[in-house]
Structure formats: structure tokens, C-alpha cells
Amino acid sequence: MSLTKSFIMALSSIISNKVRSLLTMLGIIIGIASVIVLVSVMNGLTGEISSIFNEFGTTSLTTSITPRSNKEVKPEELYEFAEQYPDMFAGVSPNVSVSGQVKTPDSGDDYLTGSATGVSEDYYDIKRVDMSFGRFISYEDCENRSKVAVIGSYQAMYFFGLSSKAVGETIRINGTPYTIIGVIEEEAESAESSSDDVIYIPYTTALKANGTNIVSSYTVDAASDEVVDEAKALLESFLLEKVGDSDYFTVISMKAIIDQMLEMMDTMEMVLVAIAGISLLVGGIGIMNIMLVSVSERTREIGIRKSLGAKHKHIMTQFVMESGTVSCIGGIIGIILGVSFAYLAGRLLGMDVAPSMGAVGLAFGVSVGIGVIFGFLPARKAAKLNPIDALRSD
Amino acid sequence: MPHLVELRDIYKIYHVGDSEVHALDGISLTIDRGEFVAIVGSSGSGKSTCMNIIGCLDVPTSGTYKLNGREISNYSGDELAEVRNKMLGFIFQQYNLIPKLSVIENVQLPLLYGGYSDKEQKVRAMAALERVGLASKAKNMPTQLSGGQQQRVSIARALAGDPSVILADEPTGALDSRTGRDVMRFLQQLNREGNTIILITHDNSIAARASRIVRVTDGRIVYDGPVEGDENVAHQAAAGREEG
Ligand SMILES: Nc1ncnc2c1ncn2[C@@H]1O[C@H](COP(=O)(O)OP(=O)(O)O)[C@@H](O)[C@H]1O
Ligand SMILES: [Mg+2]
């Protein structure tokens, strides 16, 4: 007996019992749909998060040092150190924060409370800054302690109404005037406290403004993703030598944070899928239940088939095919629903939610597998019936 | 040539509560090719049990059964299924058609399990339906047919696999007397064409159509011989002849 023949037989049996078949499939439909939605949304979320982090650069090592007398790390020392390992480090930038009032000569009483960050020219590459107008801080600016500033689109919009108008204008930070040399590309709709709410000035200028020459924070850029861990270890041993105590400095690797984050997302995804998987299990049990009912309802039919020469395998095939087909159809409906819901969720959450082909394929395989596994027991019950007992039943 | 059916000392004992029911109480019987045997007896005498054993649907508690010379007592379930498929054709009182399959699909079933190709199944099933005069109803569902027609479908199904023995358990039991007579005439014709037929009935006038009577009472054979030798059947046979 061919498989297509038994498939057609299974289909006609399912069609002759539409409502019951649909109810039987429900567990599988819900299970498969929810697995697909969950996997898709989690994938979308993971993609979203890692792209946000990638913006900051996965290779950057954020270093902070607690200032102690004679134990500081001077910018020149760190530059010199980094230059010794050109295949480990791509750039170094001090981070010097200057906080206070931000205003323009024309803004009168209107000001923003904010801070400017003093950085070096390397910062441009480390953080992958995109300029929309003008240029970033240069080596010369740092050397000359120029009073220049690069501002974010939030400040530009706030003070000048338009990013293009800001370049060449003056901005005052705690009263000190800075010439605006560039505006950074908008990233976060120019919202307050967002990544668009920034001001960069040369670190040398910032140190002078703070009246100090001690830098307590650096951003160091590793040469590539592959060497991040090695570069981090190297940097730490340098800092240990300089600072003398590992309690007084920290090096945070962006990559480690992202990895940890993604790992957490993976775990969460597994937990969610496992929960959704329970509904698949329940669906499977539902199928088994209905198949057992079907076997006892059709005992006489089984007896007739046996009297005509149906062997164990024929009856097995008939019932396993039937439950396999039921859950397979349920799986297909579940996939269609799941993919639709995933896209809908993507629309609503405003992110790129693409159900992976792998997840869809796996879902389909699982639904067929469930049908076959949970159909096996009832099918065997049918196949083992004694022909005469089966014939006599009604 | 071995006997087609050879039962030796067959017992079938059911345990009902504490008591034993000897449905068959030591039956020995041989049937040869081309015979038309009626197993007759009152209700509960053990006829069906006997047919089920001959039909390999059931196994005896003790005794040996040879079908076409082969001892089948220790055959497995699948081997018995194969024997039923290749050698036996059943006609039941309740027709036992599968209601959700069409007439031709029902007739195809033994061929399906016999491993015939799809095309071969259709050809043979159609030929069998032709023989019972129901080729035109091939696509119908069984429930769309009358009782007599359904029984003819089940005869076509029994014939489809070209079996060595046709077993009919009260084939006219659910039919009115006229359709019943038609079915019997058809069985007689099949016998004349060379088919071996074992007929089970409690009705002496039906049994009169056979050429040999095996009378069973309380699980034992009390008469085995020609129709003329059995008082009740012979009487019915004479009456039947007078009727014409
Ligand atoms: N499965 C069974 N369990 C117990 N007793 C049975 C069973 N099948 C048949 N019998 C008994 O065996 C005897 C013969 O039954 P059966 O062969 O069906 O008789 P018949 O077909 O001649 O009417 C009866 O007494 C019946 O009650
Ligand atoms: Mg009976």
C-alpha cells in the first residue's frame, strides 16, 4: 500500500470529521504559532539590541581610574603604550567631562544644564561618529587647546533651530565661548538626554577648563573584534603597573557586555520556547486522546479490514498517517498564523521581525513528529486488535 | 492432493465467570474443493465459532486445523492475515461494508492489502462488481444501496481476491426472503463455476440449496452428509422443489 494512498485515506478521514479535527489540531496550532512568534520577536529584539550596541563600536574598552596622588595615568603614557601594539590598539581617547551651563551669546537667560566631554581626535573612529555638518575635533585642536566644539543635533536644534546653521556659531559652556566646528548626524530624533544630546571639545581644553591635568577616564579602541579580549588583558596589566592596585581601575569591554546581553536573550528565548513547547506537548496528548477515541469508534472497521487481510503494518500506517496528517495540517496552520502574527508584532513594535526559515522548518518537523509519536500508541492499539473481537464490536 | 479444509478434534472453550462454555466440543470435518457445504444448527450451537476458525479469524483452544494441507495453528497474526487475504472470502450477515468508502473502494480493499497496483485493483474490483451486476454502482456509497445490493457488493468483495474458499455466515439473515433467494441462487451459480462455498445458516430452507449438510448441536457435529440424509433439510428441499 503506497504512502500517497494512505495519505489520501487519512485526508478523507480528517475531512469527514472537520470540527473534531480542527479541535484536535488546536493545541498544535497554538503551540507552533507561539513558538514562531516568540522566536521571531526574540530574533528581532536581539538584532535590534546588537545593532544599537554595534553603533557604539564593539571594540571599545572603557577605562576608568580612581585618582590617587602620583598614581594617575597621563594621556601621553597611554598613547605611548598603545602605539607599541599597533595590531592590538587602534586608538585612545581621554574622556574629560565638563559640566555646567550651556548657552549661546544670543540665548540670554535661556540655557541648558549639560556637560561637554573632552575627547581626542581618535574618538571619531572609536565611536564611529557621523558628521552631518562641519568636522570633528582634530589632533591640532588638542595640541593647541582650541576652544572649539562639536555638538549633537539636540543642541543644534535647541539653539539654532537647524543643524546646518550651527557651524561657525559660538556656544558658551560655563561662560567660556567655543566655536562650533561640526554637528553630529541625528540618531535619536534629537531628543533630550539621548545620543543626540552631546557636546565634544578637545580633551586638553576640557582639562584646562576643569583646572586639572589628571585624566580619570579613557576610551581605548581594540584593533578588531578578535583581539578585544587580548587587548583588554594587555591594557589591564599596563594599568596595574601604573596604578598599582586593581581596585583602583576598571576596564569594561563593550563586546563582553554585548555577549553577555545576547547570552541572556538566548536563555530567555529558550525559556519562552520551552513554555510554548508545553502547549505542543499538550497538543500531542490531545491528538493521542482523539486517536484513541477514533480507534475505539472504528473497531468494527478495523475488524473488517483485518478480515480482508490487513496486516499489522497496514493498520499502523493508516492510523499513524492520520494523526501525522492532522498535526501536519495543524502545524501548517500554526506556521501561517505564527508568521502573520510575528510580522504584525514587528509592525507594532517597530522593529525588523523576520521568522527564520530554520524556525519554520523546525516547527513543521516538530508538528509532524508529534503526530507520528502521539499517534503511535493508538495505532498500535488498533493494529493489535484481535480480528474476531473487533468484528463483533459495534 | 490434500483436503482444502481439515479440522481435527477442534475445541473452542470460553470462560464465562467460573463456568466453561464449549462453543466447539470436538469437531472433526474435512471439506474438498468445489463443495457447497451448509453448516446448520440452531442459534448458539457453535456455527459462527466454527466458521471463524475455518476463516482464520479466531484460533481454536485445542485441535489442529489444516488449510490446503498446511497446519496453521501456530501462524502469527500477520501470516493469518495473509492467509485470509489470499485464500478466503467472507460474506457476513451484516454485509460489513465500510460506510465511508465507495462501493468500488470497498471491493478494492482485499486487493489493496494483497499488494496489487492501483490500476490492477480497479480492474479486478470492477470485474467482481460486473459479476454481481453492480458495475453501474461502483462510485456510489454503500448507504445509497438496498440491503440486497449491499450484500452483492460484499459478495463482489469476497470474490475480488479470487479466494479458494468462500465463507458465508447467515448471508440472507438480514434480507427479505426474495432477495435472500437471489443471493442463494448466486452462491449456487458460483459453486457451479467451481468455487468452494461454506454456508452457515440456522434456516433449513436456505441450507437446502447446498449439496452437503453439516448439522451442529451444542458444539458437536450430529450429521454430516448429503441433503437427503438430513430430515429437516430434506423436507424443505422437497417443499422447495414442489414450489418450482
Ligand atoms: N466471545 C465469547 N465469549 C463467551 N461465549 C461465547 C463467545 N462467543 C461465542 N460464545 C458462546 O459460544 C456458543 C456458540 O456461539 P456461536 O458460534 O456464535 O453460535 P451460533 O453462531 O451457532 O449462533 C454460544 O453459547 C455463545 O454464547
Ligand atoms: Mg452465528
Side-chain angles (χ1 to χ4, degrees), chain A residues 28 54 57 73 81 107 115 118 168 180 200 220 230 265 306 324 341 355 362 365-366:
Chain A
I28 298 290
N54 282 334
V73 180
F81 160 74
S107 62
S115 68
I180 297 168
Y200 294 120
V220 179
E230 220 177 316
M265 298 281 292
K306 288 203 149 190
F341 278 131
L362 191 71
V366 165

Side-chain angles (χ1 to χ4, degrees), chain A residues 392, chain B residues 14 16 21 23 42-49:
Chain A
R392 264 202 288 251
Chain B
Y14 291 108
V16 183
V21 178
S42 56
S43 177
S45 55
K47 310 179 295 290
S48 293
T49 309

Side-chain angles (χ1 to χ4, degrees), chain A residues 57-203:
Chain A
T58 49
T59 49
S60 65
L61 300 167
T62 307
T63 308
S64 22
I65 302 153
T66 311
R68 288 189 297 167
S69 54
N70 296 328
K71 299 283 190 189
E72 73 264 27
V73 180
K74 296 198 182 78
E76 306 81 64
E77 292 172 333
L78 194 56
Y79 277 118
E80 199 184 316
F81 160 74
E83 274 157 20
Q84 288 172 19
Y85 306 98
D87 44 355
M88 284 290 159
F89 300 105
V92 173
S93 172
N95 298 323
V96 183
S97 185
V98 180
S99 41
Q101 284 183 359
V102 180
K103 55 202 285 187
T104 63
D106 304 330
S107 62
D109 288 343
D110 192 13
Y111 65 88
L112 292 173
T113 310
S115 68
T117 310
V119 298
S120 78
E121 73 283 358
D122 282 357
Y123 199 81
Y124 181 76
D125 285 327
I126 298 173
K127 294 293 182 186
R128 298 176 194 171
V129 178
D130 285 319
M131 303 301 295
S132 68
F133 296 101
R135 62 170 180 86
F136 198 73
I137 290 156
S138 70
Y139 176 71
E140 286 74 25
D141 294 330
C142 295
E143 282 290 291
N144 302 335
R145 296 187 192 170
S146 311
K147 288 184 177 142
V148 295
V150 171
I151 62 173
S153 57
Y154 169 67
Q155 273 79 15
M157 296 295 284
Y158 187 86
F159 291 114
F160 309 105
L162 206 65
S163 288
S164 56
K165 286 190 184 160
V167 178
E169 298 289 340
T170 301
I171 196 165
R172 285 175 185 273
I173 302 165
N174 288 335
T176 313
Y178 293 81
T179 306
I180 297 168
I181 56 170
V183 180
I184 295 168
E185 190 93 51
E186 179 181 78
E187 257 176 19
E189 291 164 4
S190 303
E192 192 178 352
S193 305
S194 73
S195 53
D196 291 333
D197 182 2
V198 289
I199 301 173
Y200 294 120
I201 58 177
Y203 76 92

